[in-house]
Amino acid sequence: MSKSGTDRQDSQFVIWAMAWTVGTRYGGKVINLLTTIALAWLLSKEDFGLAGYALIFVTFIEILEGFGVESALVYHGEDEELQNNAFWISALTGLGIASIVYLTAPVAAIIFDDERAIPLVQVLALAFVFTGLRIVPKALLTRRMQFKLMALPEFVKVTVKGIAAISIGLAGGGAWAMIVSVVIALAAELVVLWIAAGWWPTFRFVFRAEKVRPLLSYGGGMIGLSIVGTLIANIDYVLVGRLLGAAALGAYMIGFRLPTLLITPIIESLSKVIFPMSVRKQSDPVAMINGWKTALRYVAIVSVPVGLGIASVSAALVPALFGIKWLDSVPVVSGIALQTVLISLVWHTGDIYKATGRIRLLFWLGVSQLLITAPLLLIAVLHFGTIGAVAWAHVVGALLNAVVRFIVMSKVMPVSLREIVDILVAPLFAGLLMAAAVIGVDMALAAAIEGVWVRLLADIVTGALVYALLAYFMMRDEVETSIKQLRQSLSRG
């Protein structure tokens, strides 16, 4: 088969797999969004902030989960003895982490200066027992690229979580609605994962250094990445919770959730496709980078208008979905929407580095991102003292990080900065023009009418029409090719 034919088949595979995983994940994200909306009306900002204390604290310990075994199994392939060793390592680790979380719960009260966090953290500790047991079956489904089966456990988890959270919220459970629902949902996900993977461990652990070493060497590198990634993802929550209080943290969390619920599934779903496929192409950097450029093009065409659109309609979107008590979240929604777009554009550089074994480079890129972002967030909290300032500090940090990531990619892989810019310029220009049109319409309507739903609908229609028109003239070939390949991929799937 010709090289062009192989590339075309890979593009069709990426689109088909992405379409399936995005579709199923978006079903889960819709449930997540509906759950968030319901909880926003049922709970107070203080409730969200208190639950946030526990969730944030646990996240910092969660980086030790499985010692990075899941990514190691995806990388090293099918090996029954390796899988069995991985299971017992991750299961025992999960039990150990659960114990650590329970015993160190008072530390959360010290960090956030609020003793109400202690019992919430102690109950949430139980989640690690379930996460330790899910690592091997989850890794096997990823390695085999069984996207339909991978989507089912996630869908079950978010559905059970939503039902449990809303039920507890209606019963007046307050912050407990967000904690107990997590534990129940993980238990339900675990059952479905084991059934879907069709793999069971042998109940006799024989330690073999040659089997454990590949897991810990690759997984150890992944833990380093997880530590840096966790700091990047949660340092803002810690600063807001500690310095601005539980209510401010609750408003920040709501504002942060909305853009990520709508944009992140696109990024995550494509990542689940590209990483396993890239591993199979380790010996062909050109083919690997072509797949990355294809992913970048599709992600940019979709995430740019969605992210800029959310930022543009945030003043109407927040009160329409969550109510006027959450108006403090408006600048957070707009800022985080822009940050999420920038993150989406560089997300898959990490997949390429993982596939080529450049874990150390990926680690230092994460360190550079932390060094760029942390000072900006600290200035935003200490100098400005608002959650909106924190969100926009994220935008500046994400922009600087994107520049660094693209420069490094052009140095270590066969792709030039000019090629990257050529891929991004049309979606970004079209997205900015669309955002300007939407903001103009929203400002005009805000002065003329009071109904936020009418404004929101008009904004969305304006944005969709303007971007579709611009895409037709500026990205016609890319869009038509994408649609054609999507149809072919779905027909063969």
Side-chain angles (χ1 to χ4, degrees), residues 228 232 292 345-350 353 361-369 398-412 417 420:
V228 175
I232 293 170
W292 176 77
L345 300 181
V346 298
W347 184 286
H348 301 294
T349 57
Y353 296 142
L361 173 59
L362 194 53
F363 170 79
W364 287 112
L365 284 171
V367 171
S368 72
Q369 182 179 353
L399 179 60
L400 295 174
N401 177 63
V403 172
V404 171
R405 294 257 176 163
F406 284 139
I407 291 174
V408 173
M409 177 65 86
S410 69
K411 300 296 183 183
V412 301
L417 278 175
I420 296 173

PDB file of all heavy atoms in Angstrom, residues 228 232 292 345-350 353 361-369 398-412 417 420:
ATOM      1  N   VAL A 228       4.138  16.860  38.608  1.00  0.00           N
ATOM      2  CA  VAL A 228       4.179  18.196  38.009  1.00  0.00           C
ATOM      3  C   VAL A 228       2.801  18.590  37.496  1.00  0.00           C
ATOM      4  O   VAL A 228       2.329  19.712  37.720  1.00  0.00           O
ATOM      5  CB  VAL A 228       5.214  18.250  36.867  1.00  0.00           C
ATOM      6  CG1 VAL A 228       5.162  19.603  36.158  1.00  0.00           C
ATOM      7  CG2 VAL A 228       6.611  18.008  37.411  1.00  0.00           C
ATOM      8  N   ILE A 232       0.386  21.763  38.621  1.00  0.00           N
ATOM      9  CA  ILE A 232      -0.102  22.743  37.647  1.00  0.00           C
ATOM     10  C   ILE A 232      -1.622  22.850  37.709  1.00  0.00           C
ATOM     11  O   ILE A 232      -2.192  23.949  37.670  1.00  0.00           O
ATOM     12  CB  ILE A 232       0.352  22.360  36.222  1.00  0.00           C
ATOM     13  CG1 ILE A 232       1.875  22.488  36.104  1.00  0.00           C
ATOM     14  CG2 ILE A 232      -0.333  23.231  35.168  1.00  0.00           C
ATOM     15  CD1 ILE A 232       2.430  21.900  34.822  1.00  0.00           C
ATOM     16  N   TRP A 292       0.124  13.519  14.196  1.00  0.00           N
ATOM     17  CA  TRP A 292      -0.011  14.623  15.149  1.00  0.00           C
ATOM     18  C   TRP A 292      -0.557  15.874  14.465  1.00  0.00           C
ATOM     19  O   TRP A 292      -1.424  16.567  15.012  1.00  0.00           O
ATOM     20  CB  TRP A 292       1.337  14.928  15.784  1.00  0.00           C
ATOM     21  CG  TRP A 292       1.299  16.116  16.699  1.00  0.00           C
ATOM     22  CD1 TRP A 292       0.806  16.164  17.969  1.00  0.00           C
ATOM     23  CD2 TRP A 292       1.742  17.436  16.408  1.00  0.00           C
ATOM     24  NE1 TRP A 292       0.929  17.431  18.490  1.00  0.00           N
ATOM     25  CE2 TRP A 292       1.504  18.234  17.550  1.00  0.00           C
ATOM     26  CE3 TRP A 292       2.349  18.026  15.297  1.00  0.00           C
ATOM     27  CZ2 TRP A 292       1.828  19.582  17.604  1.00  0.00           C
ATOM     28  CZ3 TRP A 292       2.676  19.375  15.344  1.00  0.00           C
ATOM     29  CH2 TRP A 292       2.417  20.145  16.489  1.00  0.00           C
ATOM     30  N   LEU A 345      -4.480  22.880  21.992  1.00  0.00           N
ATOM     31  CA  LEU A 345      -3.590  22.957  20.833  1.00  0.00           C
ATOM     32  C   LEU A 345      -2.249  22.270  21.081  1.00  0.00           C
ATOM     33  O   LEU A 345      -1.593  21.833  20.132  1.00  0.00           O
ATOM     34  CB  LEU A 345      -3.368  24.419  20.441  1.00  0.00           C
ATOM     35  CG  LEU A 345      -4.639  25.206  20.057  1.00  0.00           C
ATOM     36  CD1 LEU A 345      -4.277  26.631  19.677  1.00  0.00           C
ATOM     37  CD2 LEU A 345      -5.393  24.521  18.924  1.00  0.00           C
ATOM     38  N   VAL A 346      -1.824  22.194  22.338  1.00  0.00           N
ATOM     39  CA  VAL A 346      -0.516  21.573  22.627  1.00  0.00           C
ATOM     40  C   VAL A 346      -0.670  20.223  23.327  1.00  0.00           C
ATOM     41  O   VAL A 346       0.328  19.564  23.627  1.00  0.00           O
ATOM     42  CB  VAL A 346       0.350  22.501  23.511  1.00  0.00           C
ATOM     43  CG1 VAL A 346       0.629  23.804  22.787  1.00  0.00           C
ATOM     44  CG2 VAL A 346      -0.320  22.772  24.860  1.00  0.00           C
ATOM     45  N   TRP A 347      -1.894  19.811  23.583  1.00  0.00           N
ATOM     46  CA  TRP A 347      -2.151  18.588  24.368  1.00  0.00           C
ATOM     47  C   TRP A 347      -1.414  17.385  23.794  1.00  0.00           C
ATOM     48  O   TRP A 347      -0.778  16.622  24.518  1.00  0.00           O
ATOM     49  CB  TRP A 347      -3.657  18.332  24.381  1.00  0.00           C
ATOM     50  CG  TRP A 347      -4.104  17.168  25.219  1.00  0.00           C
ATOM     51  CD1 TRP A 347      -3.963  15.845  24.924  1.00  0.00           C
ATOM     52  CD2 TRP A 347      -4.781  17.238  26.484  1.00  0.00           C
ATOM     53  NE1 TRP A 347      -4.521  15.071  25.912  1.00  0.00           N
ATOM     54  CE2 TRP A 347      -5.020  15.911  26.881  1.00  0.00           C
ATOM     55  CE3 TRP A 347      -5.213  18.272  27.291  1.00  0.00           C
ATOM     56  CZ2 TRP A 347      -5.675  15.609  28.071  1.00  0.00           C
ATOM     57  CZ3 TRP A 347      -5.862  17.963  28.475  1.00  0.00           C
ATOM     58  CH2 TRP A 347      -6.082  16.647  28.855  1.00  0.00           C
ATOM     59  N   HIS A 348      -1.483  17.201  22.487  1.00  0.00           N
ATOM     60  CA  HIS A 348      -0.989  15.967  21.880  1.00  0.00           C
ATOM     61  C   HIS A 348       0.516  15.954  21.636  1.00  0.00           C
ATOM     62  O   HIS A 348       1.054  14.945  21.180  1.00  0.00           O
ATOM     63  CB  HIS A 348      -1.755  15.682  20.594  1.00  0.00           C
ATOM     64  CG  HIS A 348      -3.227  15.546  20.837  1.00  0.00           C
ATOM     65  ND1 HIS A 348      -3.769  14.522  21.583  1.00  0.00           N
ATOM     66  CD2 HIS A 348      -4.269  16.332  20.490  1.00  0.00           C
ATOM     67  CE1 HIS A 348      -5.074  14.679  21.669  1.00  0.00           C
ATOM     68  NE2 HIS A 348      -5.399  15.772  21.014  1.00  0.00           N
ATOM     69  N   THR A 349       1.204  17.064  21.953  1.00  0.00           N
ATOM     70  CA  THR A 349       2.660  16.996  21.945  1.00  0.00           C
ATOM     71  C   THR A 349       3.125  15.977  22.984  1.00  0.00           C
ATOM     72  O   THR A 349       4.100  15.259  22.763  1.00  0.00           O
ATOM     73  CB  THR A 349       3.278  18.372  22.257  1.00  0.00           C
ATOM     74  OG1 THR A 349       2.789  18.837  23.532  1.00  0.00           O
ATOM     75  CG2 THR A 349       2.909  19.402  21.188  1.00  0.00           C
ATOM     76  N   GLY A 350       2.418  15.916  24.091  1.00  0.00           N
ATOM     77  CA  GLY A 350       2.761  14.939  25.128  1.00  0.00           C
ATOM     78  C   GLY A 350       2.603  13.511  24.659  1.00  0.00           C
ATOM     79  O   GLY A 350       3.389  12.628  25.017  1.00  0.00           O
ATOM     80  N   TYR A 353       5.728  12.573  22.703  1.00  0.00           N
ATOM     81  CA  TYR A 353       6.889  12.351  23.558  1.00  0.00           C
ATOM     82  C   TYR A 353       6.775  11.023  24.317  1.00  0.00           C
ATOM     83  O   TYR A 353       7.769  10.312  24.508  1.00  0.00           O
ATOM     84  CB  TYR A 353       7.052  13.507  24.543  1.00  0.00           C
ATOM     85  CG  TYR A 353       7.335  14.834  23.874  1.00  0.00           C
ATOM     86  CD1 TYR A 353       6.778  16.012  24.359  1.00  0.00           C
ATOM     87  CD2 TYR A 353       8.146  14.904  22.754  1.00  0.00           C
ATOM     88  CE1 TYR A 353       7.034  17.226  23.743  1.00  0.00           C
ATOM     89  CE2 TYR A 353       8.404  16.114  22.131  1.00  0.00           C
ATOM     90  CZ  TYR A 353       7.840  17.272  22.621  1.00  0.00           C
ATOM     91  OH  TYR A 353       8.093  18.466  22.007  1.00  0.00           O
ATOM     92  N   LEU A 361      12.022  14.683  28.809  1.00  0.00           N
ATOM     93  CA  LEU A 361      11.720  15.953  28.160  1.00  0.00           C
ATOM     94  C   LEU A 361      10.323  16.434  28.533  1.00  0.00           C
ATOM     95  O   LEU A 361      10.111  17.622  28.828  1.00  0.00           O
ATOM     96  CB  LEU A 361      11.820  15.795  26.636  1.00  0.00           C
ATOM     97  CG  LEU A 361      11.380  17.000  25.791  1.00  0.00           C
ATOM     98  CD1 LEU A 361      12.220  18.230  26.133  1.00  0.00           C
ATOM     99  CD2 LEU A 361      11.484  16.677  24.305  1.00  0.00           C
ATOM    100  N   LEU A 362       9.381  15.513  28.550  1.00  0.00           N
ATOM    101  CA  LEU A 362       8.009  15.868  28.917  1.00  0.00           C
ATOM    102  C   LEU A 362       7.942  16.364  30.357  1.00  0.00           C
ATOM    103  O   LEU A 362       7.201  17.307  30.678  1.00  0.00           O
ATOM    104  CB  LEU A 362       7.109  14.648  28.725  1.00  0.00           C
ATOM    105  CG  LEU A 362       5.593  14.867  28.737  1.00  0.00           C
ATOM    106  CD1 LEU A 362       5.191  15.935  27.742  1.00  0.00           C
ATOM    107  CD2 LEU A 362       4.877  13.556  28.435  1.00  0.00           C
ATOM    108  N   PHE A 363       8.746  15.738  31.221  1.00  0.00           N
ATOM    109  CA  PHE A 363       8.802  16.165  32.624  1.00  0.00           C
ATOM    110  C   PHE A 363       9.303  17.600  32.733  1.00  0.00           C
ATOM    111  O   PHE A 363       8.712  18.435  33.434  1.00  0.00           O
ATOM    112  CB  PHE A 363       9.711  15.225  33.421  1.00  0.00           C
ATOM    113  CG  PHE A 363      10.025  15.714  34.804  1.00  0.00           C
ATOM    114  CD1 PHE A 363       9.104  15.571  35.822  1.00  0.00           C
ATOM    115  CD2 PHE A 363      11.242  16.321  35.088  1.00  0.00           C
ATOM    116  CE1 PHE A 363       9.389  16.021  37.110  1.00  0.00           C
ATOM    117  CE2 PHE A 363      11.532  16.778  36.361  1.00  0.00           C
ATOM    118  CZ  PHE A 363      10.599  16.622  37.372  1.00  0.00           C
ATOM    119  N   TRP A 364      10.391  17.920  32.025  1.00  0.00           N
ATOM    120  CA  TRP A 364      10.961  19.265  32.128  1.00  0.00           C
ATOM    121  C   TRP A 364      10.079  20.316  31.462  1.00  0.00           C
ATOM    122  O   TRP A 364      10.062  21.478  31.886  1.00  0.00           O
ATOM    123  CB  TRP A 364      12.371  19.294  31.554  1.00  0.00           C
ATOM    124  CG  TRP A 364      13.356  18.609  32.471  1.00  0.00           C
ATOM    125  CD1 TRP A 364      14.018  17.447  32.253  1.00  0.00           C
ATOM    126  CD2 TRP A 364      13.741  19.059  33.778  1.00  0.00           C
ATOM    127  NE1 TRP A 364      14.799  17.121  33.333  1.00  0.00           N
ATOM    128  CE2 TRP A 364      14.646  18.097  34.287  1.00  0.00           C
ATOM    129  CE3 TRP A 364      13.418  20.166  34.561  1.00  0.00           C
ATOM    130  CZ2 TRP A 364      15.218  18.229  35.545  1.00  0.00           C
ATOM    131  CZ3 TRP A 364      13.996  20.305  35.815  1.00  0.00           C
ATOM    132  CH2 TRP A 364      14.886  19.331  36.287  1.00  0.00           C
ATOM    133  N   LEU A 365       9.339  19.922  30.448  1.00  0.00           N
ATOM    134  CA  LEU A 365       8.356  20.842  29.876  1.00  0.00           C
ATOM    135  C   LEU A 365       7.262  21.160  30.904  1.00  0.00           C
ATOM    136  O   LEU A 365       6.784  22.292  30.987  1.00  0.00           O
ATOM    137  CB  LEU A 365       7.730  20.248  28.614  1.00  0.00           C
ATOM    138  CG  LEU A 365       8.600  20.280  27.353  1.00  0.00           C
ATOM    139  CD1 LEU A 365       7.953  19.464  26.234  1.00  0.00           C
ATOM    140  CD2 LEU A 365       8.825  21.716  26.882  1.00  0.00           C
ATOM    141  N   GLY A 366       6.875  20.137  31.678  1.00  0.00           N
ATOM    142  CA  GLY A 366       5.906  20.356  32.748  1.00  0.00           C
ATOM    143  C   GLY A 366       6.461  21.278  33.827  1.00  0.00           C
ATOM    144  O   GLY A 366       5.750  22.145  34.344  1.00  0.00           O
ATOM    145  N   VAL A 367       7.738  21.089  34.154  1.00  0.00           N
ATOM    146  CA  VAL A 367       8.372  21.968  35.144  1.00  0.00           C
ATOM    147  C   VAL A 367       8.383  23.410  34.655  1.00  0.00           C
ATOM    148  O   VAL A 367       8.087  24.346  35.409  1.00  0.00           O
ATOM    149  CB  VAL A 367       9.809  21.488  35.446  1.00  0.00           C
ATOM    150  CG1 VAL A 367      10.542  22.520  36.304  1.00  0.00           C
ATOM    151  CG2 VAL A 367       9.783  20.137  36.153  1.00  0.00           C
ATOM    152  N   SER A 368       8.711  23.603  33.375  1.00  0.00           N
ATOM    153  CA  SER A 368       8.730  24.961  32.821  1.00  0.00           C
ATOM    154  C   SER A 368       7.329  25.580  32.869  1.00  0.00           C
ATOM    155  O   SER A 368       7.174  26.773  33.158  1.00  0.00           O
ATOM    156  CB  SER A 368       9.261  24.952  31.386  1.00  0.00           C
ATOM    157  OG  SER A 368       8.322  24.389  30.487  1.00  0.00           O
ATOM    158  N   GLN A 369       6.306  24.771  32.602  1.00  0.00           N
ATOM    159  CA  GLN A 369       4.932  25.268  32.672  1.00  0.00           C
ATOM    160  C   GLN A 369       4.577  25.688  34.095  1.00  0.00           C
ATOM    161  O   GLN A 369       3.937  26.727  34.309  1.00  0.00           O
ATOM    162  CB  GLN A 369       3.956  24.198  32.191  1.00  0.00           C
ATOM    163  CG  GLN A 369       2.500  24.650  32.183  1.00  0.00           C
ATOM    164  CD  GLN A 369       1.560  23.577  31.672  1.00  0.00           C
ATOM    165  OE1 GLN A 369       1.996  22.528  31.188  1.00  0.00           O
ATOM    166  NE2 GLN A 369       0.271  23.814  31.775  1.00  0.00           N
ATOM    167  N   ALA A 398      -0.939  29.873  29.854  1.00  0.00           N
ATOM    168  CA  ALA A 398      -1.173  28.889  28.794  1.00  0.00           C
ATOM    169  C   ALA A 398      -0.620  29.367  27.456  1.00  0.00           C
ATOM    170  O   ALA A 398      -0.098  28.574  26.663  1.00  0.00           O
ATOM    171  CB  ALA A 398      -2.670  28.607  28.668  1.00  0.00           C
ATOM    172  N   LEU A 399      -0.728  30.665  27.185  1.00  0.00           N
ATOM    173  CA  LEU A 399      -0.187  31.216  25.932  1.00  0.00           C
ATOM    174  C   LEU A 399       1.331  31.088  25.891  1.00  0.00           C
ATOM    175  O   LEU A 399       1.902  30.649  24.880  1.00  0.00           O
ATOM    176  CB  LEU A 399      -0.601  32.681  25.804  1.00  0.00           C
ATOM    177  CG  LEU A 399      -0.101  33.419  24.553  1.00  0.00           C
ATOM    178  CD1 LEU A 399      -0.606  32.736  23.285  1.00  0.00           C
ATOM    179  CD2 LEU A 399      -0.527  34.876  24.584  1.00  0.00           C
ATOM    180  N   LEU A 400       1.989  31.452  26.976  1.00  0.00           N
ATOM    181  CA  LEU A 400       3.449  31.332  27.029  1.00  0.00           C
ATOM    182  C   LEU A 400       3.883  29.871  26.928  1.00  0.00           C
ATOM    183  O   LEU A 400       4.866  29.539  26.243  1.00  0.00           O
ATOM    184  CB  LEU A 400       3.972  31.949  28.328  1.00  0.00           C
ATOM    185  CG  LEU A 400       3.765  33.465  28.477  1.00  0.00           C
ATOM    186  CD1 LEU A 400       4.194  33.918  29.871  1.00  0.00           C
ATOM    187  CD2 LEU A 400       4.534  34.220  27.404  1.00  0.00           C
ATOM    188  N   ASN A 401       3.155  28.985  27.595  1.00  0.00           N
ATOM    189  CA  ASN A 401       3.481  27.562  27.545  1.00  0.00           C
ATOM    190  C   ASN A 401       3.310  26.991  26.143  1.00  0.00           C
ATOM    191  O   ASN A 401       4.112  26.160  25.698  1.00  0.00           O
ATOM    192  CB  ASN A 401       2.600  26.795  28.523  1.00  0.00           C
ATOM    193  CG  ASN A 401       2.839  25.302  28.478  1.00  0.00           C
ATOM    194  OD1 ASN A 401       3.918  24.821  28.783  1.00  0.00           O
ATOM    195  ND2 ASN A 401       1.823  24.548  28.077  1.00  0.00           N
ATOM    196  N   ALA A 402       2.267  27.438  25.422  1.00  0.00           N
ATOM    197  CA  ALA A 402       2.046  26.947  24.060  1.00  0.00           C
ATOM    198  C   ALA A 402       3.209  27.328  23.156  1.00  0.00           C
ATOM    199  O   ALA A 402       3.664  26.518  22.325  1.00  0.00           O
ATOM    200  CB  ALA A 402       0.734  27.511  23.513  1.00  0.00           C
ATOM    201  N   VAL A 403       3.709  28.551  23.303  1.00  0.00           N
ATOM    202  CA  VAL A 403       4.856  28.989  22.503  1.00  0.00           C
ATOM    203  C   VAL A 403       6.060  28.095  22.777  1.00  0.00           C
ATOM    204  O   VAL A 403       6.744  27.631  21.854  1.00  0.00           O
ATOM    205  CB  VAL A 403       5.191  30.460  22.809  1.00  0.00           C
ATOM    206  CG1 VAL A 403       6.491  30.864  22.122  1.00  0.00           C
ATOM    207  CG2 VAL A 403       4.053  31.374  22.358  1.00  0.00           C
ATOM    208  N   VAL A 404       6.333  27.828  24.057  1.00  0.00           N
ATOM    209  CA  VAL A 404       7.465  26.974  24.427  1.00  0.00           C
ATOM    210  C   VAL A 404       7.296  25.567  23.853  1.00  0.00           C
ATOM    211  O   VAL A 404       8.240  25.002  23.271  1.00  0.00           O
ATOM    212  CB  VAL A 404       7.604  26.908  25.963  1.00  0.00           C
ATOM    213  CG1 VAL A 404       8.640  25.845  26.366  1.00  0.00           C
ATOM    214  CG2 VAL A 404       7.985  28.262  26.530  1.00  0.00           C
ATOM    215  N   ARG A 405       6.109  24.994  23.976  1.00  0.00           N
ATOM    216  CA  ARG A 405       5.872  23.619  23.523  1.00  0.00           C
ATOM    217  C   ARG A 405       6.048  23.479  22.014  1.00  0.00           C
ATOM    218  O   ARG A 405       6.622  22.502  21.533  1.00  0.00           O
ATOM    219  CB  ARG A 405       4.457  23.193  23.922  1.00  0.00           C
ATOM    220  CG  ARG A 405       4.249  23.096  25.417  1.00  0.00           C
ATOM    221  CD  ARG A 405       4.258  21.681  25.899  1.00  0.00           C
ATOM    222  NE  ARG A 405       4.160  21.597  27.346  1.00  0.00           N
ATOM    223  CZ  ARG A 405       3.820  20.490  27.978  1.00  0.00           C
ATOM    224  NH1 ARG A 405       3.537  19.393  27.295  1.00  0.00           N
ATOM    225  NH2 ARG A 405       3.766  20.462  29.286  1.00  0.00           N
ATOM    226  N   PHE A 406       5.538  24.440  21.265  1.00  0.00           N
ATOM    227  CA  PHE A 406       5.655  24.352  19.813  1.00  0.00           C
ATOM    228  C   PHE A 406       7.107  24.532  19.358  1.00  0.00           C
ATOM    229  O   PHE A 406       7.560  23.890  18.408  1.00  0.00           O
ATOM    230  CB  PHE A 406       4.760  25.390  19.143  1.00  0.00           C
ATOM    231  CG  PHE A 406       3.302  25.014  19.145  1.00  0.00           C
ATOM    232  CD1 PHE A 406       2.329  25.976  19.401  1.00  0.00           C
ATOM    233  CD2 PHE A 406       2.892  23.711  18.907  1.00  0.00           C
ATOM    234  CE1 PHE A 406       0.972  25.641  19.406  1.00  0.00           C
ATOM    235  CE2 PHE A 406       1.542  23.361  18.925  1.00  0.00           C
ATOM    236  CZ  PHE A 406       0.592  24.337  19.162  1.00  0.00           C
ATOM    237  N   ILE A 407       7.843  25.408  20.034  1.00  0.00           N
ATOM    238  CA  ILE A 407       9.266  25.584  19.694  1.00  0.00           C
ATOM    239  C   ILE A 407      10.036  24.298  19.936  1.00  0.00           C
ATOM    240  O   ILE A 407      10.822  23.850  19.101  1.00  0.00           O
ATOM    241  CB  ILE A 407       9.874  26.745  20.501  1.00  0.00           C
ATOM    242  CG1 ILE A 407       9.296  28.084  20.030  1.00  0.00           C
ATOM    243  CG2 ILE A 407      11.392  26.752  20.373  1.00  0.00           C
ATOM    244  CD1 ILE A 407       9.726  29.271  20.867  1.00  0.00           C
ATOM    245  N   VAL A 408       9.800  23.669  21.085  1.00  0.00           N
ATOM    246  CA  VAL A 408      10.491  22.419  21.410  1.00  0.00           C
ATOM    247  C   VAL A 408      10.114  21.321  20.420  1.00  0.00           C
ATOM    248  O   VAL A 408      10.974  20.565  19.958  1.00  0.00           O
ATOM    249  CB  VAL A 408      10.173  21.985  22.853  1.00  0.00           C
ATOM    250  CG1 VAL A 408      10.742  20.595  23.136  1.00  0.00           C
ATOM    251  CG2 VAL A 408      10.737  22.998  23.845  1.00  0.00           C
ATOM    252  N   MET A 409       8.834  21.221  20.073  1.00  0.00           N
ATOM    253  CA  MET A 409       8.394  20.214  19.115  1.00  0.00           C
ATOM    254  C   MET A 409       9.117  20.373  17.781  1.00  0.00           C
ATOM    255  O   MET A 409       9.528  19.389  17.156  1.00  0.00           O
ATOM    256  CB  MET A 409       6.882  20.312  18.916  1.00  0.00           C
ATOM    257  CG  MET A 409       6.315  19.357  17.871  1.00  0.00           C
ATOM    258  SD  MET A 409       6.468  17.598  18.293  1.00  0.00           S
ATOM    259  CE  MET A 409       5.006  17.361  19.272  1.00  0.00           C
ATOM    260  N   SER A 410       9.299  21.610  17.354  1.00  0.00           N
ATOM    261  CA  SER A 410       9.978  21.852  16.069  1.00  0.00           C
ATOM    262  C   SER A 410      11.462  21.501  16.126  1.00  0.00           C
ATOM    263  O   SER A 410      12.091  21.277  15.089  1.00  0.00           O
ATOM    264  CB  SER A 410       9.812  23.321  15.666  1.00  0.00           C
ATOM    265  OG  SER A 410      10.548  24.181  16.517  1.00  0.00           O
ATOM    266  N   LYS A 411      12.014  21.450  17.335  1.00  0.00           N
ATOM    267  CA  LYS A 411      13.434  21.121  17.481  1.00  0.00           C
ATOM    268  C   LYS A 411      13.699  19.621  17.536  1.00  0.00           C
ATOM    269  O   LYS A 411      14.759  19.156  17.089  1.00  0.00           O
ATOM    270  CB  LYS A 411      13.991  21.771  18.758  1.00  0.00           C
ATOM    271  CG  LYS A 411      13.904  23.283  18.798  1.00  0.00           C
ATOM    272  CD  LYS A 411      14.741  23.933  17.716  1.00  0.00           C
ATOM    273  CE  LYS A 411      14.691  25.456  17.837  1.00  0.00           C
ATOM    274  NZ  LYS A 411      15.450  26.122  16.741  1.00  0.00           N
ATOM    275  N   VAL A 412      12.755  18.849  18.095  1.00  0.00           N
ATOM    276  CA  VAL A 412      13.024  17.435  18.334  1.00  0.00           C
ATOM    277  C   VAL A 412      12.289  16.498  17.372  1.00  0.00           C
ATOM    278  O   VAL A 412      12.593  15.308  17.320  1.00  0.00           O
ATOM    279  CB  VAL A 412      12.677  17.035  19.786  1.00  0.00           C
ATOM    280  CG1 VAL A 412      13.487  17.853  20.770  1.00  0.00           C
ATOM    281  CG2 VAL A 412      11.190  17.184  20.056  1.00  0.00           C
ATOM    282  N   LEU A 417       8.089  25.220  12.706  1.00  0.00           N
ATOM    283  CA  LEU A 417       7.145  26.172  13.283  1.00  0.00           C
ATOM    284  C   LEU A 417       6.210  26.725  12.215  1.00  0.00           C
ATOM    285  O   LEU A 417       5.036  26.990  12.481  1.00  0.00           O
ATOM    286  CB  LEU A 417       7.905  27.319  13.953  1.00  0.00           C
ATOM    287  CG  LEU A 417       8.427  27.073  15.372  1.00  0.00           C
ATOM    288  CD1 LEU A 417       9.267  28.251  15.835  1.00  0.00           C
ATOM    289  CD2 LEU A 417       7.278  26.822  16.332  1.00  0.00           C
ATOM    290  N   ILE A 420       3.321  24.425  11.738  1.00  0.00           N
ATOM    291  CA  ILE A 420       2.382  24.509  12.855  1.00  0.00           C
ATOM    292  C   ILE A 420       1.523  25.768  12.736  1.00  0.00           C
ATOM    293  O   ILE A 420       0.298  25.726  12.910  1.00  0.00           O
ATOM    294  CB  ILE A 420       3.147  24.494  14.196  1.00  0.00           C
ATOM    295  CG1 ILE A 420       3.881  23.158  14.368  1.00  0.00           C
ATOM    296  CG2 ILE A 420       2.196  24.729  15.370  1.00  0.00           C
ATOM    297  CD1 ILE A 420       4.805  23.111  15.575  1.00  0.00           C
TER     298      ILE A 420
END
